[in-house]
């Protein structure tokens, strides 16, 4: 990492960090497409591992006439959680979603016309919901920080044997004490009777859709830079705020801390 930083500084590269492009309302438009894909895939992957031959409880998400649907519990009502919920509802599951943010829960309630149970996330409500889940989906994010370990080992132990836990937030360390990263080649492991899925690059399963989604989100910024050159940094605050290196200067404090280089303010670098 220091080597890469040094090469960018020595080469006088103007580096704009993809993951730091942030709109006025706090949204991260270049990360959203992958959260959408991962959210949708979480239910497909989870329902696959619920199948009997895959070690799961052998339940169909939507149930049948006369047989109740499976219960899906989604933690986090952001982009990934919303997309997971949409797919789970579409497959006929009984869905609960938990978040700390009432506005996001309310958006889910309205968007799904009350077809989803919205629940304020507390230790007690989490413990109750996790224990009853056939499929548990972790989709929490605290921007700029590791995911909080809110699903305890005790909660996982309370789940039914053969139930499935897909932790989308594994790329930020995961939201459970029991989750660890896995790979697409070997995506699951069993712990305390629960099948754990911890793939950090879930969108790689649908490379065509993911690439199209990512490039569609990126293109408007590429066009801005193509039309305005480096002036785009002064004209568009979302690009300016994402500046990491410019004219041999480092402008990101976190990178400075991680690499030992000194950072200057973005304003100073653009003077
Ligand atoms: N594994 C993958 O392939 C993959 C792909 C894309 C995104 N992700 C990850 O998915 C996660 C979700 O991303 P997103 O874009 O949906 O984020 P987001 O910011 O849109 O949503 C996260 C939600 O988590 C909620 N939250 C925070 N703490 C909580 C708590 N204690 N209880 C309940 N909810 C809580 C927030 O209020 C927010 O609504 C991130 O960790 C992201 O890095 C993983």
């Amino acid at each position: 990492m220091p080597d890469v930083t040094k090469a960018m500084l020595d080469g006088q590269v103007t580096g704009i960090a993809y993951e730091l492009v942030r709109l006025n309302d706090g949204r991260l438009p270049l990360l959203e497409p992958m959260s959408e894909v991962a959210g949708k895939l979480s239910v497909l992957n989870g329902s696959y591992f619920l199948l009997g031959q895959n070690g799961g409880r052998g339940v169909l998400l939507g149930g049948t006439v006369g047989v109740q649907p499976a219960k899906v519990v989604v933690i986090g009502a952001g982009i990934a959680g919303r997309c997971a919920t949409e797919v789970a509802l579409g497959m006929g599951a009984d869905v609960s979603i938990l978040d700390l943010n009432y506005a996001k829960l309310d958006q889910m309630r309205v968007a799904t016309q009350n077809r989803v149970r919205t629940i304020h996330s507390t230790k007690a409500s989490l413990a109750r919901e996790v224990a009853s889940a056939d499929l548990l989906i972790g989709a929490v994010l605290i921007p700029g920080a590791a995911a909080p370990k809110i699903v305890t080992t005790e909660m996982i132990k309370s789940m039914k044997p053969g139930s499935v836990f897909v932790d989308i937030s594994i790329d930020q360390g995961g939201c459970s004490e029991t989750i660890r990263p896995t790979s697409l080649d070997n995506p699951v492991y069993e712990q305390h009777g629960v099948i754990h899925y911890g793939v950090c690059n879930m969108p790689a399963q649908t490379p065509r859709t993911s690439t199209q989604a990512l490039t569609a989100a990126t293109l408007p910024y590429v066009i801005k830079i193509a039309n305005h050159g480096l002036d785009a940094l002064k004209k568009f605050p979302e690009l300016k705020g994402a500046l990491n290196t410019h004219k041999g200067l480092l402008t990101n404090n976190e990178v400075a801390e991680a690499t030992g280089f000194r950072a200057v303010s973005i304003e100073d670098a653009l003077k």
Side-chain angles (χ1 to χ4, degrees):
M1 177 90 150
D3 292 354
V4 178
T5 308
K6 183 172 184 316
M8 302 248 322
L9 296 176
D10 288 350
Q12 307 263 314
V13 175
T14 295
I16 299 165
Y18 207 87
E19 69 280 9
L20 295 183
V21 174
R22 185 185 292 268
L23 302 179
N24 278 341
D25 59 6
R27 285 176 43 219
L28 302 165
L30 301 184
L31 292 190
E32 285 180 1
M34 292 308 93
S35 289
E36 181 173 355
V37 173
K40 288 177 175 170
L41 285 171
S42 68
V43 179
L44 298 186
N45 293 142
S47 60
Y48 176 79
F49 287 105
L50 274 174
L51 300 179
Q53 76 273 21
N54 295 329
R57 271 174 55 68
V59 293
L60 186 61
L61 279 197
T64 68
V65 176
V67 176
Q68 63 185 12
K71 177 156 181 188
V72 176
V73 173
V74 181
I75 314 172
I79 307 289
R82 170 173 60 77
C83 293
T85 299
E86 283 168 3
V87 174
L89 283 178
M91 291 172 81
D94 172 5
V95 186
S96 295
I97 187 159
L98 298 96
D99 204 298
L100 298 169
N101 182 323
Y102 276 100
K104 289 198 177 178
L105 288 176
D106 194 40
Q107 279 167 13
M108 280 305 314
R109 185 186 62 79
V110 172
T112 61
Q113 298 181 320
N114 277 323
R115 288 198 299 143
V116 59
R117 244 182 319 274
T118 55
I119 300 170
H120 184 233
S121 177
T122 63
K123 201 167 180 189
S125 64
L126 254 180
R128 188 187 64 233
E129 290 302 309
V130 169
S132 63
D134 295 290
L135 172 57
L136 174 66
I137 296 176
V140 306
L141 178 68
I142 298 183
K149 301 277 184 199
I150 52 178
V151 179
T152 63
T153 304
E154 287 312 307
M155 291 180 197
I156 293 288
K157 281 183 180 167
S158 75
M159 293 177 77
K160 292 165 278 199
S163 48
V164 175
F165 173 35
V166 177
D167 196 351
I168 308 175
S169 52
I170 184 65
D171 65 334
Q172 301 299 320
C175 67
S176 167
E177 290 171 353
T178 60
I179 196 72
R180 58 178 153 80
T182 59
S183 66
L184 285 172
D185 288 339
N186 201 4
V188 293
Y189 60 93
E190 182 267 318
Q191 200 168 335
H192 306 304
V194 175
I195 300 175
H196 287 59
Y197 180 102
V199 173
C200 295
N201 57 334
M202 294 171 70
Q205 295 171 94
T206 53
R208 195 171 299 276
T209 303
S210 299
T211 304
Q212 286 172 349
L214 208 51
T215 48
T218 312
L219 187 62
Y221 297 101
V222 174
I223 290 173
K224 284 182 167 92
I225 294 168
N227 284 341
H228 299 279
L230 291 181
D231 282 346
L233 289 166
K234 293 181 183 156
K235 274 190 180 345
F236 304 104
E238 64 271 36
L239 289 177
K240 181 177 166 186
L243 188 69
N244 264 6
T245 58
H246 186 58
K247 290 186 181 160
L249 298 166
L250 180 64
T251 54
N252 182 300
N253 290 326
E254 285 76 25
V255 176
E257 249 172 59
T259 58
F261 287 93
R262 194 176 70 85
V264 302
S265 72
I266 291 177
E267 271 67 28
D268 282 348
L270 288 176
K271 269 181 193 159

